[in-house]
Amino acid sequence: MEPIAWLLGAGGAALGIAADRFATRWPEHDEEDPAGRPIGWRTVVVAVIGALAFGLLVPRFGGDTLAMVIFGAWFATLVVGLATDLDQRLLPDVLTLPVIPVALVYALSGRNPLVGDEIVLAVLAAVIIPAVLYLPSIPFGAGAFGLGDVKLLIGVGLLVGGSRALGSVFFAVVLGGVAIVVLLAARRIGRRSYIPFGPFFILGALWAVLIRP
């Protein structure tokens, strides 16, 4: 890897640590999730994901400065979102909503290398995938599938394109299923425990951008 990739990776790790510490104070916490959580496994997870995400930017988009900037900025929101969702089971609008218009303009410009000329597929993915996941959850009440996840997936569809967006969701579902089975087997959670799926969607999005061929 090039030196710049190592530097970006180190910066991503630092961002991950800062995001984890920030998430213990912001957004405002409630009694269920009190502020001031000490450094722990969440800190390590967010730091490692931040390092990998930014470290792999150069191998993935090294010749495309615009893609480096846009996807780098998106990755920053994903790392902070990962921290807040792990800490409070929350994806704030300030992290997800601004991505959507930027991603749409980027796709329409034809400059997004992951979308190319398949703009219609990207828009369809941004609309259909969140709808298919959210609408069936409505009868189960608030929290069954968060609106933060919906907004996140709209941005994912517009930025990574149709097939990658679908693959990212499949990756997230499989990874989430494995994690739940492991946690149940270890008796860390119960069958009625609420597991946020945002972190798995974030990991799926990063996989779709950086690793998927």
Side-chain angles (χ1 to χ4, degrees), residues 16-38:
I17 294 171
D20 174 76
R21 298 294 82 208
F22 186 51
T24 66
R25 302 289 178 182
W26 177 88
E28 185 177 353
H29 286 53
D30 54 27
E31 294 182 359
E32 183 181 353
D33 299 296
R37 170 182 51 80

Side-chain angles (χ1 to χ4, degrees), residues 34-110:
R37 170 182 51 80
I39 291 175
W41 66 268
R42 296 176 182 84
T43 315
V44 176
V45 168
V46 180
V48 169
I49 296 303
L52 290 174
F54 282 88
L56 293 174
L57 261 178
V58 173
R60 186 67 180 87
F61 299 112
D64 189 335
T65 303
L66 181 61
M68 287 271 293
V69 170
I70 290 179
F71 281 96
W74 185 41
F75 287 0
T77 70
L78 293 181
V79 170
V80 176
L82 178 63
T84 60
D85 215 12
L86 287 175
D87 188 76
Q88 299 185 62
R89 302 184 292 276
L90 181 68
L91 283 172
D93 285 349
V94 70
L95 298 176
T96 56
L97 288 181
V99 172
I100 296 172
V102 174
L104 180 59
V105 171
Y106 189 34
L108 292 173
S109 73

Side-chain angles (χ1 to χ4, degrees), residues 106-119:
Y106 189 34
L108 292 173
S109 73
R111 297 285 303 276
N112 186 334
L114 301 187
V115 174
D117 58 359
E118 298 181 346
I119 299 170

Side-chain angles (χ1 to χ4, degrees), residues 103-183:
L104 180 59
V105 171
Y106 189 34
L108 292 173
S109 73
R111 297 285 303 276
N112 186 334
L114 301 187
V115 174
D117 58 359
E118 298 181 346
I119 299 170
V120 173
L121 287 178
V123 172
L124 288 175
V127 173
I128 294 174
I129 292 176
V132 167
L133 293 173
Y134 176 69
L135 294 178
S137 76
I138 294 176
F140 297 96
F145 190 85
L147 286 174
D149 297 332
V150 171
K151 298 161 192 172
L152 170 70
L153 290 174
I154 293 173
V156 171
L158 292 173
L159 276 169
V160 308
S163 63
R164 288 179 186 273
L166 189 61
S168 76
V169 171
F170 180 76
F171 180 91
V173 169
V174 171
L175 183 62
V178 170
I180 290 170
V181 168
V182 170
L183 291 172

